Amino acid sequence: MGCLHSSNTFLLLIFVGSRNGQGQILQRFPEKDWEDNPFPQGIELFCQPSGWQLFTERNPPTFFVAVLTDISSERHYCACFTFWEAVESAQVMSSRGEEESSSLVQPAQLFAPKSLVLVSRLDHTEVFRNSLGLIYTIYVDGLSASLENVIGNLLTCTIPITGGAQFEDGSRTISLGAGDRQVIQTPINDSLPVSSCSVALLFRQLGITNVLCLFCAALTEHKILFLSSSYQRLTDACRALLALMFPLKYSFTYVPILPAQLLEVLSTPTPFIIGVSSIFQSETQELLDVVVADLDGGTVTIPECIHISLLPEPLLHQTREALSMILDPELEVADLAFPPSTVSASSLKMQDKEIRAVFLRLFAQLLQGYRWCLHIIRIHPEPVIRFHKAAFLGQRGLVEDDFLTKVLEGMAFAGFVTERGAPYRAIDLFDELVAYEVKRMRAEEGSKQKILRHIKELAEQLYKNENPYPAVTMHKVQKPTDGCHLRLHQRPFPRLDEGTVQWIIDQATAKLQTAPPAVKAEKKCMVPSGPPIAAIMERNGSALANSARRLEVVRNCISYVFENKMLEAKKLLPAVLRAMKGRAARHCLTQELNLHVQQNRAVLDHQQFDFIVRVMNCCLQDCTAMDEHGIAAALLPLVTAFCRKLSPGITQFAYSCVQEHVVWTNIQFWEAMFYCDVQNHIRALYLESNEENHLDEVGAGPREEKSALEIASEQRRLWPTMSREKQQELIQKEESTVFSQAIHYANRMSYLLLPLDTSKNRLLRSSGLGDVESVSNSFVTNSIAGSVAESYDTESGFEDAESSDVANYVVRFINRFVDKVCTESGVTNEHLKGLHIMIPDIVQMHIETLDAVHRESKRLPPIQKPKLLRPSLLVGEECVMEGLRVYLMPDGREEAAGGNIGGPPLLPAEGAIFLTTYRIVFKGTPTDPLVGEQVVVRSFPIASLTKEKKINVQPQVDQLIQEVLQLRSCTFQLLRIAFDEEVASESAEVFRKHLHKLRYPQHVRGTFAFTVGQSPKQAMQPKAKEKNPSLRTLSKNLMKNAKKTIGRPYVTRKKYTPPTWEQRSSQHFQEDDEDEISVSEEIDRSTLTPSTIIKPSDKMTLSHLVERACCRDYQRMGLGTLSNSLTRSKNEPFRISTVNRMYAICRSYPGLLIVPQSIQDNTIQRISRCYRQNRFPVICWRNSRTKAVLLRSGGLHGKGVVGLFKSNVPSQTDSTSLEQEKYLQAVINSMPHYADAGGRNTLRSFTSAHMSSPRARVVTLSTPKGASVKGRESPRGKWGSIRASGRMSNYVLNMEIGSRLAGKDLLSAQHNGAPSEASFLRQHRASLYIIGDKSQLKGVKPDPLQHWEVVPIEVFDVRQVKASFKKLMKACVPGSPATDPSLAYLRTLEESEWLSQIHKILQISVLVVELLDTGSSVLVSLEDGWDITTQVVSLVQLLSDPYYRTMEGFRLLVEKEWLSFGHRFSHRGAQTLAGQSSGFAPVFLQFLDCVHQIHLQFPMEFEFTQYYLKFLSYHYVSNRFRTFLLDSDYERIELGLLYEEKGERKSQQVYKSIWEYIDRLNKKTPVFFNYMYAPEDGEVLRPYSNISNLKVWDYYTQEVLSEGPSYDWELVQGQPEHVEEVDRQDSSAPQTKRKIIWPCYDNRSRVEPDAISKLLEELHNLEAELGQVPERWKDTWDKVKASQRTEARQEASRMASSSLLMSSSLLPHRRSLGVYLQESSVGSTLNLSLDSDTSSTSTPSSGKQGGRKSTSNLYSQFQMSESENRSYEGTLYKKGAFMKPWKPRWFVLDKTKHQLRYYDNRMDTECKGVIDLAEVESITPGTPTMGAPKTVEEKAFFDLKTTKRVYNFCAQDVQLAQQWIDRIQSCLSDA
């Protein structure tokens, strides 16, 4: 309709009606547009947002305000007042169209809407409502006022300017000339939004959380849609959301009411805030990325694909709390017992302001200190300001915060910077708050009352701003009468006369032009900056991270570098690098370096240069591309300052070495740097001019440094007062400053972007960085593809950089940068063109200088690396490859890398890898300078290598590393070596080839044990094969040996040529080779049946065989002799058979075997065919008490079993089976008690001696189901029933051999259906149990008449052992660190099932021990009889016979059972090329582990230590000795190994047999000897085998990095031990006795030996000092033991219960309870605890006392004669026992121990006897008897009566005697 001038006025008034179902403008005032305000298009859509429709009844008038935004983003407020008019029927018909005409019924009267719309730029809802209401009232009530007049007045009324001075005159009250009056209150400050109650209402409708969610969504630029059925509420909600965002302004689409026709706007890609009537809710359903707020329902729906970043904590929490205090004050007092009577919230309008105050505070806290991150680039003609986002986030410590980052990147914030960045402008509430109140908010953080008070203060200000004069008289506007809209005959709204209105408008316009212009009095001033951002602590919160101490270290380190104290600097380097993780340390570093540049110390020598570059790289490597802490910015000037001279005229600057960081390719970083520098220069520009002007006025007084913003605001204030020329001059000066900086930066960027070697096209396309090879991963933390995508437009040719070279890429990058910054900072076009021309030249020039630098830097001598240390070698060991420089990288073991345990990081270490004929050795020093003095050695024998592979490792060392080789050894060692770049890859290859050749020689002769002492060169030549002895010499050798061994006649008969080595390995080692012994076929039968007795003439030929271990052992046990007296041998049940002396029957058995007396040799040959590998049953041990025997054999062949049990066809096999039965029967007959009870032992006799526990059980071993027996009818029988003793019931033997070992079907019914109970009745013990493999024994029938029973068990095969061992190695020596080491270790250990296998072996062994101990013989017949059979048989003998627990006995056991009986050491250890594919199977190691478990449980039963077992474990795979090479005696003879030793060996120092070596070593040092050895006679050990009782052997997990494995004794001992002490004397530190022992580095047992070893060593040293010949340690030890025993005997005479440390008489069942010396790796440490965890039985009380007792003896044992607790002492004569003379003795009365001791004389240390005072009954005067000393008078005699005897004493005189009597009396009375 009309409008006043644009001085803050209403624009126009429009009448909108409907026609043809569309809105149409009927009239508008004024008719022409104002020149500065175009007419808003499409206004009719907004009057009826849901569409124009007719209604059947009159609705009451409605009013709402829609908001339109024009093209220049000005908002127009359209107030729509709508009422309804009746429609004439004709009009309806035409508008309804044809489809209605068919309806005959005349419709009721219809009403069409009509709207009055007032469009204004100002938002005064109430004024709009009143004015339009007045117009409607005049029309509807027919008032007398003229509508034209009212409208004219409305369009021409002036509205006061905000903050203007018009409040004194009355123009803020307006009247429209209808007797009305309205007050228009403009806000004091129009920058603050006006919200009346809308914010409070929004919170009421949606609640706190939802509104906060919408608030964050709006700030982070999400799309927001409001739904409500009320239009006015939609407008209010949108207005409220904008009011909350103050001081940021929303700059995207904002449509509070969206008309129906425009709904497709909702699918726009840009963010928006839109309101839609809830009628259209269904249309909004498919919007996937819109946050929908339903005002009526109070819900906010966030789609799944949207993530809204919320405010950072703790701000979010604080805001929520504050809001709930305002909106729900009752919440605080809801729980109080006496709540205050009135707690009411403020009025709605006030509440609205309080909520806004909370958000104002929130923004002040979010943006505090923002002005310190503004860069002012230009001041004149207009200020240009940029915000340094990265620095702001960095200083606030919110780099990771999603919310703030998004807000700062948003459009709203950009507008904020433009609007509020200006240094000189009017300020408002927010500026004051952020500048002055932040400190206060910080201080009040905790207190709710203070926060509330502050909120109320702010709310007051906001309220006052909106309602400056609340006391003014209120509006007086006429309202229409109630219900007037329902009047039936209402005339339509009249058409108005445009002329009248226009005339009124023209009048008013003319009047305005004459009036003075209303000036808005802006109070401009300098905007306060507020306090700078407090250095908020690092995000990790640890103040320690940058303690002053750390910064001190950084400073010292840098000053050392510049003082050229490089060694000192190196020591500090690790600490500095660690400190660099903290921001303060990095800042400190840049400051320090800066100081040194200022002192002109920028030219460095090479070492300093390398050091500085390294520190800079470390500094930069933790920076992100954003450089939020300004570290890269601070280093930028430094990297172009520090340099080194390469040659005359060529200088290398530090920037060429620090390019590999992502920050240099981030264009935003360069912009921020550029703007920062420009700001400094512009500040300098104005400071200089000011200083010139002020020099005269201002004295020499110091002036405050002005910030750039302060200078800018001063300049802006002066600007209007300057002359035009002055203004131009300043503009030009600023522009040229910016231009010169742009040139400077083009140079800088080319420095940092062009690589040193520009020939390489090395820039990474994806990241704009450089290609992978040259970028060492340690620096490049993450790809910066993201930042590139944001900052560059891809069209600019960034993609096709592939094809072009580096230079073009750099030129493009710089051009893009220059374009952006120059246009932003107003550089003139000519200048910009000039720059574009210069840039390629700059880059080209720089490339040329770099080429020269690159050339020269190549010529630099390489950095000095640590000297390679040579390892010490054994005698005969020689180097095959000289040391290759490598790094030893840490693997999964934590200790060496200083893991959780602490300790220094010994790895990575730098050194060399050496390959010798025997070992692979790494020797070097740790790269960490703090442990640089230590030497690290890691080695293992080549023969133990199990796996070698190449891996990729993240290098922890700064050098570039080519590749990492991981070598794993079965001695539980792992070498991860990374070759240094100086090692050519060919050398690495050669190393691997050599290693492979040495690991798998062609033949056993190639192993170290054979080649030792020869020149290794031949082994390395490719022609090695010819060097091997030819066939002829081999056969000669064999013949020679055979002759020695065997009588002539056999040799001539048998022509045997050994096959070649290659054939032999394939021929003999196939495990299932039935017909392995081909030799026996060639020989005629007759020769193979020698007489039972050996003729005297043959004795000599057998002499060698007799010397073998087996034979010595047979004789020890009395198992048959080689005597020729017939009578004697007939009584012997067994004989020694020579049937196998030519190894003809069984090649893997020894030459002499024990067989039953009654069996002939030719029978043996036939029997042997039934067994695998012809390993028929032979006796290997006999129980001396029960005479039961232990036999071993291979498993039965298929045909053997068939022959034995199944076959009906009489054939040769049948006879064999009978012979086999005969053989077993012969074994049974040999047992002495076989005759009793018809050969049956009843179960009664089976209650063995140790069955004290009540938990005995009967266990039956039933036939597994389905073991059907073909052939003869099978009687019902059980495999056997064993009653477990108490010991065994602990053993899971409850169901033992049944469920555990056999199958699952225990005690099931027999297959023929008979009840299984019957078998219980057969209660007898079989005389022979055959323990066989369940799978082989299927279908074996038990025979009631036979006296043997078969026990089927399930065992694991070699494949499982291999697999298990692999996993065990990975568990104990992991290749890489696990995420959770404690869990991972236990888990992998369990998965390896190693302990389960140990458990199984021990379990079977203890079962066999039980059977033997109760008088039944046992035949162990498993697999081929050489793996698990050997393990079980050896363990059984070890447990049953104490002899094997001595050193000599253990050696014998291993030689007999493992070596002679043919365990395949070479095959299982994969010692040659042939065995390579089969892999390593540690069967022997498993046996040693079992021994170790038993040793742990019975520490006093073994003569040898754990170290002895470890020593064997190591050397049985090391190939240092020949003992464990080859697979059987036969092969050893063939190679001439068995008998050569006598004559040859003496010549060299090289030991060929491990046993000799151990003997020699044992004589020298007690390392193998167990001090606690105190065996019980004939005790049988029964260890626990539950997995819970087993321990992981420390052999698997220990290592000694200081010297390598401690099993090559010469190498370890060769090292000087007392080096440290020498060093210590130099240092000024006080001398200390403390020793630091590092885990995994020091050899504990040597650095800290146990008490006894220490004493022996000291003794040895003393003897050496005194020049005596040192006594052997063993002799010394035996003396000590002997003297102790005599004492023990004397004591025992008095104290029956006594028990001694060494020969303790604890209860036999578990000796580990006593006091014992616990084993450490070598030797032992004193341990006096009662080690009860090893025993799970309840100890009988006497055992406990025994333990206690021995502690007291320990006390007396170490008591020296001059000890302090002697209460009284002197000489007394004592009468000996009956018929003994009187002798003077030195007596000691000891109150403490309550005893009277006597010695031979005063000096004697050995006590001759003790009288316990507890046993003394009386002291009486005595009489002299025969032989008493003559001189003494009678009263000096006295007698001491004890419970056992009477002692007669006499003193030298009467007084002394009296004194003694008194003293003893007082002792007695004290007690």
Side-chain angles (χ1 to χ4, degrees), residues 376-386 674-675 678 682 728 730-740 742 817-833 835:
I376 185 148
I377 321 166
R378 293 291 297 267
I379 300 177
H380 304 314
E382 280 302 317
V384 180
I385 288 178
R386 287 287 165 269
F674 175 77
Y675 292 145
V678 168
I682 285 194
Q728 276 307 317
L730 287 176
I731 291 175
Q732 200 190 335
K733 266 188 182 169
E734 281 186 22
E735 196 266 351
S736 53
T737 305
V738 177
F739 176 60
S740 62
F817 165 81
V818 163
D819 283 345
K820 185 163 190 284
V821 296
C822 290
T823 43
E824 281 180 358
S825 48
V827 172
T828 56
N829 272 341
E830 298 78 67
H831 274 163
L832 193 53
K833 275 184 193 142
L835 263 177

Side-chain angles (χ1 to χ4, degrees), residues 1703-1869:
S1703 48
S1704 128
S1705 57
L1706 286 182
L1707 281 202
H1709 80 281
R1710 197 110 190 121
R1711 300 267 315 300
S1712 59
L1713 268 173
V1715 178
Y1716 71 87
L1717 298 152
Q1718 186 191 0
E1719 207 340 73
S1720 76
S1721 59
V1722 180
S1724 38
T1725 50
L1726 215 53
N1727 171 8
L1728 297 179
S1729 66
L1730 284 170
D1731 180 16
S1732 52
D1733 69 11
T1734 47
S1735 103
S1736 46
T1737 49
S1738 57
T1739 324
S1741 55
S1742 57
K1744 277 270 163 58
Q1745 288 160 358
R1748 205 50 46 75
K1749 198 75 206 158
S1750 53
T1751 9
S1752 77
N1753 288 324
L1754 199 83
Y1755 179 52
S1756 67
Q1757 179 203 340
F1758 292 110
Q1759 204 62 61
M1760 297 311 279
S1761 60
E1762 51 274 11
S1763 70
E1764 33 334 302
N1765 48 5
R1766 302 176 163 217
S1767 336
Y1768 189 65
E1769 53 188 333
T1771 310
L1772 286 173
Y1773 283 83
K1774 165 179 167 290
K1775 164 115 173 56
F1778 182 61
M1779 295 297 289
K1780 290 271 180 67
W1782 288 80
K1783 288 228 179 99
R1785 294 272 182 262
W1786 183 259
F1787 276 78
V1788 174
L1789 178 63
D1790 186 343
K1791 266 189 185 165
T1792 324
K1793 292 190 184 170
H1794 204 57
Q1795 56 182 219
L1796 185 61
R1797 297 195 294 274
Y1798 58 93
Y1799 301 80
D1800 273 348
N1801 55 35
R1802 184 170 187 169
M1803 301 316 294
D1804 190 11
T1805 55
E1806 201 163 320
C1807 173
K1808 290 290 174 287
V1810 178
I1811 301 168
D1812 203 331
L1813 295 183
E1815 297 171 359
V1816 175
E1817 291 177 359
S1818 64
I1819 306 181
T1820 51
T1823 52
T1825 58
M1826 270 195 44
K1830 301 278 185 297
T1831 52
V1832 182
E1833 50 196 279
E1834 191 172 324
K1835 288 191 177 161
F1837 289 86
F1838 60 96
D1839 293 349
L1840 197 64
K1841 186 161 181 269
T1842 69
T1843 47
K1844 293 179 187 155
R1845 62 172 272 200
V1846 177
Y1847 291 86
N1848 315 103
F1849 295 108
C1850 112
Q1852 271 140 349
D1853 54 33
V1854 186
Q1855 293 89 350
L1856 270 174
Q1858 200 47 50
Q1859 246 176 326
W1860 269 107
I1861 293 170
D1862 295 347
R1863 290 291 169 97
I1864 295 172
Q1865 285 288 11
S1866 73
C1867 256
L1868 292 175
S1869 55

Side-chain angles (χ1 to χ4, degrees), residues 1372-1383:
C1372 296
V1373 187
S1376 51
T1379 38
D1380 182 352
S1382 56
L1383 275 178

Side-chain angles (χ1 to χ4, degrees), residues 1677-1692:
W1677 177 253
D1678 291 342
K1679 276 188 198 163
V1680 174
K1681 290 274 293 249
S1683 66
Q1684 212 175 17
R1685 280 202 195 94
T1686 54
E1687 268 182 54
R1689 268 186 226 109
Q1690 292 167 359
E1691 296 214 1

Side-chain angles (χ1 to χ4, degrees), residues 792-1029:
Y792 314 145
D793 43 336
T794 19
E795 290 82 64
S796 61
F798 188 61
E799 291 308 308
D800 57 35
E802 292 289 339
S803 50
S804 65
D805 61 352
V806 183
N808 287 353
Y809 159 73
V810 174
V811 168
R812 263 203 304 278
F813 188 86
I814 300 176
N815 274 340
R816 205 159 40 236
F817 165 81
V818 163
D819 283 345
K820 185 163 190 284
V821 296
C822 290
T823 43
E824 281 180 358
S825 48
V827 172
T828 56
N829 272 341
E830 298 78 67
H831 274 163
L832 193 53
K833 275 184 193 142
L835 263 177
H836 281 309
I837 296 165
M838 277 159 69
I839 289 169
D841 297 346
I842 292 175
V843 171
Q844 210 39 54
M845 268 168 55
H846 188 58
I847 286 179
E848 281 161 26
T849 49
L850 275 182
D851 280 346
V853 171
H854 182 59
R855 237 190 355 264
E856 287 301 320
S857 67
K858 274 277 174 62
R859 292 188 189 142
L860 271 185
I863 311 161
Q864 286 215 319
K865 294 185 177 171
K867 204 165 88 242
L868 297 185
L869 306 167
R870 287 193 61 84
S872 40
L873 303 181
L874 290 173
V875 179
E877 178 183 11
E878 301 187 34
C879 244
V880 173
M881 267 192 97
E882 279 309 314
L884 299 176
R885 187 178 290 281
V886 294
Y887 291 92
L888 180 62
M889 309 304 278
D891 43 57
R893 292 172 285 185
E894 291 235 300
E895 299 90 343
N900 305 343
I901 307 146
L906 295 162
L907 301 182
E910 182 178 2
I913 191 95
F914 295 86
L915 192 60
T916 75
T917 44
Y918 169 48
R919 298 174 297 160
I920 303 174
V921 192
F922 168 85
K923 189 164 183 181
T925 50
T927 48
D928 186 334
L930 289 181
V931 270
E933 268 76 78
Q934 313 301 329
V935 176
V936 171
V937 180
R938 210 179 242 183
S939 73
F940 59 79
I942 292 178
S944 69
L945 176 73
T946 56
K947 183 152 190 208
E948 162 234 32
K949 66 174 178 180
K950 290 185 181 173
I951 48 172
N952 290 323
V953 179
Q954 200 69 26
Q956 286 155 303
V957 194
D958 44 351
Q959 272 76 357
L960 289 173
I961 281 164
Q962 294 170 342
E963 60 183 20
V964 176
L965 200 57
Q966 179 169 303
L967 306 171
R968 191 182 273 287
S969 141
C970 59
T971 57
F972 292 85
Q973 193 48 278
L974 184 68
L975 279 174
R976 273 191 144 182
I977 50 175
F979 291 100
D980 192 287
E981 70 262 16
E982 71 180 45
V983 176
S985 50
E986 298 83 69
S987 312
E989 235 2 84
V990 172
F991 172 80
R992 289 183 57 208
K993 285 203 179 106
H994 277 345
L995 177 60
H996 201 265
K997 260 191 196 159
L998 286 168
R999 170 65 184 92
Y1000 298 111
Q1002 291 284 327
H1003 175 251
V1004 177
R1005 279 198 177 282
T1007 54
F1008 176 67
F1010 285 95
T1011 58
V1012 60
Q1014 304 170 5
S1015 147
K1017 298 295 172 285
Q1018 54 187 49
M1020 296 322 300
Q1021 308 306 331
K1023 298 201 181 82
K1025 287 179 192 141
E1026 293 136 34
K1027 292 281 162 101
N1028 279 336

Side-chain angles (χ1 to χ4, degrees), residues 545-725:
N546 293 312
S547 60
R549 174 83 192 90
R550 288 197 171 188
L551 304 188
E552 191 56 35
V553 168
V554 173
R555 288 196 192 94
N556 291 346
C557 185
I558 297 300
S559 51
Y560 283 147
V561 172
F562 285 99
E563 290 160 18
N564 225 334
K565 297 182 181 166
M566 293 312 290
L567 206 66
E568 296 296 318
K570 271 204 177 111
K571 280 190 180 161
L572 289 183
L573 182 65
V576 172
L577 297 185
R578 249 171 266 146
M580 289 296 175
K581 295 270 177 269
R583 191 169 81 219
R586 303 209 287 266
H587 276 301
C588 170
L589 177 87
T590 56
Q591 289 157 5
E592 283 298 305
L593 291 175
N594 213 357
L595 291 175
H596 289 294
V597 168
Q598 285 162 12
Q599 297 163 13
N600 277 334
R601 287 175 164 180
V603 181
L604 309 171
D605 68 24
H606 296 311
Q607 249 187 326
Q608 292 172 319
F609 184 79
D610 284 337
F611 200 94
I612 295 296
V613 163
R614 180 166 180 190
V615 183
M616 283 179 172
N617 271 325
C618 178
C619 216
L620 287 166
Q621 114 190 15
D622 291 317
C623 294
T624 58
M626 305 257 304
D627 188 38
E628 58 278 349
H629 303 312
I631 307 290
L635 283 175
L636 189 59
L638 301 177
V639 298
T640 50
F642 286 117
C643 59
R644 61 174 170 189
K645 289 240 183 329
L646 291 179
S647 65
I650 294 183
T651 307
Q652 179 178 13
F653 283 89
Y655 57 72
S656 61
C657 305
V658 295
Q659 298 171 328
E660 322 268 308
H661 298 279
V662 51
V663 64
W664 308 128
T665 55
N666 179 9
I667 212 160
Q668 288 146 336
F669 160 76
W670 287 107
E671 283 165 25
M673 283 290 305
F674 175 77
Y675 292 145
C676 179
D677 272 4
V678 168
Q679 167 171 290
N680 293 339
H681 281 85
I682 285 194
R683 176 170 164 269
L685 187 77
Y686 287 104
L687 272 179
E688 282 164 19
S689 56
N690 286 357
E691 274 163 14
E692 285 161 17
N693 306 346
H694 295 293
L695 267 179
D696 1 316
E697 310 153 26
V698 183
R703 286 179 36 224
E704 274 283 300
E705 277 291 288
K706 280 189 172 179
S707 75
L709 282 174
E710 289 168 335
I711 288 173
S713 88
E714 176 72 4
Q715 286 298 322
R716 291 307 299 161
R717 190 175 60 75
L718 298 173
W719 176 253
T721 62
M722 291 178 193
S723 63
R724 184 105 182 81
E725 295 77 48

